[in-house]
Amino acid sequence: MSVTAPNGETTEVFSASGTPVFQLSGRDIQDGYYRYELRAATEEQKKIVNATDQGRGSAQRDSVAVPFYTTGNFLVERGVIVTPEDIKEE
């Protein structure tokens, strides 16, 4: 997962299994919109249609994990992530 702060700084978060966790830390947390991109492999397998012998020998597989991809953003105000339900018009 990659998270981009309002100033353009990008943080990479990795988890070998399970859900990666991004934490706001430090005193200099920037308010504004953060963008995220999440790429993962699911446990679901799909058959490789055009399999080629790439020299893997016994490690050659006829299926591959189905990928998952999503993007989005979230708002930080006063150092706290604001959920859409918490936003009230005045």
Side-chain angles (χ1 to χ4, degrees):
M1 174 170 66
S2 64
V3 179
T4 304
N7 68 354
E9 180 181 345
T10 300
T11 302
E12 298 288 331
V13 180
F14 176 78
S15 177
S17 64
T19 305
V21 177
F22 172 75
Q23 295 182 336
L24 296 171
S25 61
R27 292 185 292 169
D28 300 325
I29 298 169
Q30 293 187 346
D31 285 352
Y33 282 94
Y34 287 68
R35 292 178 294 135
Y36 66 86
E37 178 179 283
L38 176 63
R39 295 174 184 264
T42 65
E43 292 181 3
E44 182 181 350
Q45 296 285 313
K46 71 176 182 179
K47 184 168 180 57
I48 299 172
V49 178
N50 295 319
T52 60
D53 182 7
Q54 298 175 346
R56 294 189 183 114
S58 64
Q60 181 75 21
R61 301 285 179 241
D62 62 352
S63 64
V64 65
V66 174
F68 174 81
Y69 176 80
T70 190
T71 62
N73 59 58
F74 57 91
L75 176 63
V76 173
E77 287 184 350
R78 295 184 295 257
V80 176
I81 296 174
V82 178
T83 59
E85 300 85 44
D86 293 342
I87 299 173
K88 297 181 179 121
E89 293 186 29
E90 295 182 18

